[in-house]
Amino acid sequence: MSILEMKVPSPGESITEVEIATWLVQDGDYVEKDQPIAEVDSDKATLELPAEQSGIITLKAEEGEVVQVGQVVCLIDMDAAKPAGSTAEAPKEEPKAEVKKEEPAPVKAEAPKVETYAAQTPSPAAKKILDEKGIAPSQVTGSGRDGRITKDDAVTASVPAMGSAPAGGNRGQSTTKLSVLRRKIAARLVSVKNETAMLTTFNEVDMSEIFRIRKQYKEEFAAKHGIGLGFMSFFTKAVTRALKLYPDVNASIDGDFKINYDFADISIAVSGPKGLMVPVLRNAENMTLRGVEANIKDLATKVRDGKISVDEMTGGTFTITNGGTFGSMLSTPIINPPQSAILGMHNIIQRPVAVDGQVVIRPMMYVAMSYDHRIIDGKESVGFLVAVKEAIDNPVEFLMDGDERKALEL
């Protein structure tokens, strides 16, 4: 018998453990080679685990279990024959259909009772904690296998408030364990607040010229390049230009040392099914507007399809996030460590502004830059954001060298 032991591969450098987020197959299923059999969460991304060979699979780890890189999580019997799935066997089963009265239906009917009982049964450790708190198992929703109450469920369970519940309305609640990725993000966000001297400076940009350029060239641009002309390419190029003018913004702290980067690897925040991801545009300073749009589209597609790799999200010297896509008017974005600054874009609102002594209506956007004051002074942060503003207000002069068609490669 040829049995393959499938071990957890290393998703990337410095990652030593992952969590089995979801099994995509069941114990005893026949799997094909390269078929996705599980989704695993690391502290950087959610990745699919493909079957290494075809055969009958035996699961050796449960959903929610944290396993080490290199640990065996399933076995595949490569000698097992693939189920035929033909209808030839169906006639053999038909005579048995006549013995309906002798089918053990009552036994099957009892199965839900067993599951319900298991769902209300705490583990020994959980029972002890619940007894100490004076909480009945029926008042706790289990997150373990088949709804079993785990120790974590018991620890987070709270004593019901005194007094009668109000008439009407749903009083239910549920407890869900955070994924490894979400727990890592939470820890990093807290560390940023605790370990950096983060400040935020604000400004506003006039989107009129970018609106005009997109309206004038978007159809020709899409026809020639096969991609849309969006806002992010203009902001990315505005950022790479500003980073050259203010190199201390393109830096990070390593102990007692400051590291300055001669390149601009721009992390672009993208919302995916597993949460916010930040794939990186490598050497964005050398990209054209078309190149930025093409790379962002490719990375965003990978994020939304769950195909993004850890390497494609590792690194980055500066981050751009666009809360405006969700309707945010103003925010203080949190730095993406070990970077030292982040630019936050927001929604675009038609607002009255004063231009040459006259009140006019313009499409305006608030922008925010959060920065680590340990290595970036107020002068540099404000100057950087002003440089971004002037490039967005006047992209033809500052981003296109006065030639719109050439810059758009038309």
Side-chain angles (χ1 to χ4, degrees), residues 290-355:
R290 179 195 60 80
V292 172
E293 291 291 353
N295 279 276
I296 289 178
K297 179 182 179 181
D298 178 60
L299 291 171
T301 300
K302 289 182 178 180
V303 167
R304 290 171 185 135
D305 291 345
K307 304 296 184 182
I308 195 76
S309 70
V310 172
D311 289 340
E312 289 172 312
M313 293 190 295
T314 302
T317 62
F318 187 94
T319 296
I320 302 175
T321 181
N322 185 6
T325 57
F326 305 108
S328 172
M329 180 180 179
L330 196 60
S331 68
T332 56
I334 296 180
I335 298 169
N336 180 21
Q339 300 170 19
S340 297
I342 180 173
L343 177 72
M345 299 165 56
H346 300 91
N347 61 355
I348 302 168
I349 300 293
Q350 296 284 340
R351 293 204 305 269
V353 294
V355 178

Side-chain angles (χ1 to χ4, degrees), residues 164-173:
S164 59
N170 184 5
R171 301 281 295 171
Q173 65 180 31

Side-chain angles (χ1 to χ4, degrees), residues 188-222:
R188 291 181 69 185
L189 293 179
V190 172
S191 70
V192 170
K193 298 290 286 185
N194 293 337
E195 299 173 11
T196 67
M198 194 182 84
L199 294 178
T200 306
T201 183
F202 304 93
N203 213 315
E204 62 179 358
V205 295
D206 185 344
M207 300 291 291
S208 299
E209 272 295 284
I210 292 179
F211 269 40
R212 178 192 65 78
I213 293 169
R214 292 182 71 237
K215 182 178 180 180
Q216 183 174 345
Y217 298 107
K218 65 179 181 180
E219 293 183 2
E220 186 178 358
F221 186 88

Side-chain angles (χ1 to χ4, degrees), residues 146-338:
D146 297 325
R148 186 174 178 84
I149 299 172
T150 67
K151 181 180 178 181
D152 287 342
D153 297 331
V155 171
T156 57
S158 59
V159 180
M162 297 297 290
S164 59
N170 184 5
R171 301 281 295 171
Q173 65 180 31
S174 62
T175 302
T176 305
K177 186 176 181 181
L178 296 176
S179 67
V180 172
L181 176 61
R182 180 58 63 180
R183 296 199 299 269
K184 182 64 175 181
I185 291 173
R188 291 181 69 185
L189 293 179
V190 172
S191 70
V192 170
K193 298 290 286 185
N194 293 337
E195 299 173 11
T196 67
M198 194 182 84
L199 294 178
T200 306
T201 183
F202 304 93
N203 213 315
E204 62 179 358
V205 295
D206 185 344
M207 300 291 291
S208 299
E209 272 295 284
I210 292 179
F211 269 40
R212 178 192 65 78
I213 293 169
R214 292 182 71 237
K215 182 178 180 180
Q216 183 174 345
Y217 298 107
K218 65 179 181 180
E219 293 183 2
E220 186 178 358
F221 186 88
K224 181 170 183 179
H225 303 304
I227 50 176
L229 179 59
F231 298 127
M232 193 60 76
S233 54
F234 290 96
F235 276 90
T236 300
K237 296 307 294 180
V239 162
T240 59
R241 171 182 175 270
L243 289 175
K244 290 181 180 179
L245 297 174
Y246 297 91
D248 278 347
V249 177
N250 198 35
S252 63
I253 287 183
D254 183 9
D256 294 332
F257 298 90
K258 180 181 70 170
I259 304 173
N260 282 87
Y261 303 100
D262 296 330
F263 52 89
D265 283 357
I266 306 300
S267 303
I268 304 293
V270 177
S271 179
K274 295 293 183 178
L276 199 66
M277 303 289 184
V278 279
V280 181
L281 296 177
R282 308 289 180 189
N283 289 106
E285 76 279 7
N286 296 329
M287 293 182 184
T288 62
L289 292 167
R290 179 195 60 80
V292 172
E293 291 291 353
N295 279 276
I296 289 178
K297 179 182 179 181
D298 178 60
L299 291 171
T301 300
K302 289 182 178 180
V303 167
R304 290 171 185 135
D305 291 345
K307 304 296 184 182
I308 195 76
S309 70
V310 172
D311 289 340
E312 289 172 312
M313 293 190 295
T314 302
T317 62
F318 187 94
T319 296
I320 302 175
T321 181
N322 185 6
T325 57
F326 305 108
S328 172
M329 180 180 179
L330 196 60
S331 68
T332 56
I334 296 180
I335 298 169
N336 180 21

Side-chain angles (χ1 to χ4, degrees), residues 32-37 49-54:
E32 299 282 358
K33 183 179 179 182
D34 296 327
Q35 173 187 341
I37 59 173
L49 185 65
E52 295 177 4
Q53 294 293 337
S54 300

